[in-house]
Amino acid sequence: MKKLRKTRANQLDKFIEDRLLPDEDFRTQVNEAIHIICSFLKERCFQSAPHPVRVSKVVKGGSSGKGTTLRGRSDADLVVFVTSLTGFQEQLQHRRRFIKEIRKQLEACQREETFEVEFEVQKWRRKKSRALSFVLRSPRLLQGVKFDVLPAFDALGQLTKGYRPDPKVYVQLIQECESLGREGEFSPCFTELQRAFLKERPTKLKSLIRLVKHWYQMCKMRHGKKLPPQYALELLTVYAWEQGSMETEFSTAQGFRTVLELVLKHQHLCIYWEKYYDFENPIIGQYLRRQLAKPRPVILDPADPTGNVAGKDPYSWQLLAQEVRVWLRYSCCKNWDGSPVSTWEGAGGTS
């Protein structure tokens, strides 16, 4: 397989098409697996509980929900919204019970062979886990599909196109997060907004996100969990495009190099969006100013103002910056004559 670092800058689009885009058969199989689990969660999972719980909706999150899945990576996040939860604190209190019930019903389905599948329920840390992780296997699937199922409070209700939450939702979120000391803990409640924020973007931007994720995964093979969260790199890519291009067609090499250069400027990054929340409400505005005054880098989740997805460890960005300095010497970041690929102007990210 041709390595990314040996790919010429003008061949990056072909590299993405040949190596990173999921093929149709693979996408169909993953969607089939997701359909099986969604049906299970809606129709069976909580029906036999002592106090039956109604599932209002199951939302596909993660890369599969956002349309940025890499070829061969069959992970799926499913957020289960349950009607009996009336607040974020209740989600925290009852999450363990819901996870336990989901696991119990999955194991029952495996014993009964209700589905023609094999569940491989993975170990989870009882007190800390936000999700139940397991692998779904089937003779019809070429490989197992890993699921993370997360029970959540339905803070948003039914969404329509162009939906913007009532500020009261974020006021409640901020107040409960601050009282519990759990900032960013409830981001699954806003999965639909996170998904919409990325899913509506141009196809080529999603391809650039795939390229950045592929690069990140290679760096992660060297450094493991010491690096910043992948979601931060996805949002950094969106920011770079918004500030530097905003075109549906652009130079992938330019976009890639711009993102790498922004990583080098991590000590100055302060990035946020006002698509779903802003400074108009006094409580939200005051909170946002406190968030943006924190040590850099700051990259606020566009759907959840309590989540600084850049993480809390500046050393993780230093490690990634070290990787960037090496990668800037490779063919993928250089023109045919050996000169550096130019970056998008305007994508500074500093404040």
Side-chain angles (χ1 to χ4, degrees):
M1 181 184 288
K2 191 174 183 181
K3 304 272 187 184
L4 173 59
R5 64 174 179 265
K6 294 181 179 178
T7 302
R8 292 185 179 277
N10 62 0
Q11 293 293 309
L12 285 177
D13 288 327
K14 189 174 188 312
F15 178 88
I16 293 169
E17 185 177 348
D18 292 346
R19 310 292 183 187
L20 304 185
L21 291 178
D23 59 58
E24 196 58 41
D25 288 344
F26 177 77
R27 189 184 290 115
T28 300
Q29 289 185 53
V30 172
N31 285 339
E32 181 183 340
I34 289 171
H35 175 72
I36 291 171
I37 297 302
C38 282
S39 298
F40 157 78
L41 291 167
K42 289 177 184 175
E43 298 166 10
R44 159 153 183 170
C45 188
F46 297 106
Q47 299 307 310
S48 63
H51 304 286
V53 174
R54 191 169 73 84
V55 175
S56 60
K57 55 191 172 183
V58 179
V59 176
K60 180 170 64 172
S63 298
S64 55
K66 296 168 188 168
T68 58
T69 305
L70 289 172
R71 180 178 300 182
R73 300 188 76 87
S74 53
D75 294 10
D77 293 346
L78 295 178
V79 183
V80 186
F81 292 96
V82 292
T83 56
S84 58
L85 296 175
T86 60
F88 300 102
Q89 188 166 353
E90 276 197 16
Q91 176 181 317
L92 201 62
Q93 291 170 342
H94 298 291
R95 182 172 61 199
R96 183 179 170 188
R97 175 168 66 88
F98 288 132
I99 288 177
K100 187 176 180 181
E101 182 63 24
I102 294 169
R103 177 172 181 162
K104 175 184 171 185
Q105 294 301 328
L106 282 174
E107 290 172 337
C109 282
Q110 179 172 281
R111 286 194 301 271
E112 298 164 15
E113 298 182 352
T114 306
F115 309 130
E116 293 180 8
V117 293
E118 175 191 346
F119 291 105
E120 192 178 286
V121 183
Q122 299 177 337
K123 292 180 180 178
W124 51 286
R125 294 172 297 172
R126 292 181 178 276
K127 293 184 179 179
K128 295 183 178 180
S129 182
R130 294 198 299 177
L132 178 65
S133 298
F134 59 92
V135 176
L136 175 70
R137 300 190 187 281
S138 164
R140 297 194 300 270
L141 299 175
L142 295 176
Q143 64 185 78
V145 177
K146 180 180 178 292
F147 284 91
D148 286 333
V149 175
L150 303 85
F153 160 53
D154 189 0
L156 301 176
Q158 294 301 315
L159 273 63
T160 54
K161 191 172 182 180
Y163 173 89
R164 184 179 171 93
D166 188 315
K168 291 178 183 177
V169 172
Y170 287 120
V171 170
Q172 181 185 1
L173 172 69
I174 288 165
Q175 291 174 339
E176 292 197 37
C177 277
E178 289 192 315
S179 67
L180 295 167
R182 296 290 191 110
E183 291 181 313
E185 175 77 25
F186 304 105
S187 64
C189 300
F190 302 93
T191 294
E192 288 166 286
L193 297 183
Q194 294 168 339
R195 185 176 70 175
F197 183 79
L198 283 175
K199 197 167 186 178
E200 63 193 24
R201 304 291 174 165
T203 299
K204 191 156 188 182
L205 176 56
K206 292 180 192 174
S207 290
L208 177 59
I209 290 172
R210 283 187 174 95
L211 181 64
V212 170
K213 285 167 63 174
H214 176 71
W215 168 76
Y216 171 86
Q217 290 297 330
M218 287 191 292
C219 296
K220 196 173 180 181
M221 288 173 67
R222 287 166 52 84
H223 299 289
K225 295 182 179 179
K226 296 177 183 177
L227 295 183
Q230 180 175 277
Y231 188 34
L233 274 295
E234 294 178 32
L235 293 179
L236 193 60
T237 307
V238 174
Y239 170 83
W241 176 78
E242 285 183 341
Q243 298 298 311
S245 174
M246 286 294 285
E247 301 290 338
T248 55
E249 290 297 323
F250 54 81
S251 164
T252 298
Q254 235 184 334
F256 184 49
R257 175 146 193 148
T258 301
V259 175
L260 297 188
E261 293 284 355
L262 284 172
V263 173
L264 292 180
K265 298 176 182 177
H266 63 89
Q267 291 175 312
H268 304 286
L269 291 178
C270 183
I271 299 170
Y272 65 97
W273 288 266
E274 295 184 54
K275 184 175 177 63
Y276 301 120
Y277 54 80
D278 55 34
F279 293 84
E280 286 189 23
N281 180 283
I283 294 174
I284 299 172
Q286 186 179 37
Y287 180 80
L288 285 175
R289 281 184 277 274
R290 290 200 301 273
Q291 284 284 74
L292 299 177
K294 289 181 177 179
R296 307 298 186 241
V298 172
I299 305 175
L300 293 189
D301 186 330
D304 175 6
T306 72
N308 176 16
V309 302
K312 298 179 180 179
D313 182 9
Y315 178 65
S316 66
W317 285 90
Q318 293 170 24
L319 279 179
L320 199 58
Q322 289 174 17
E323 290 288 334
V324 167
R325 293 186 187 97
V326 174
W327 275 83
L328 290 178
R329 301 199 295 264
Y330 293 150
S331 299
C332 56
C333 295
K334 292 186 177 182
N335 294 312
W336 62 271
D337 60 357
S339 61
V341 171
S342 60
T343 58
W344 285 326
E345 294 182 10
T350 58
S351 175

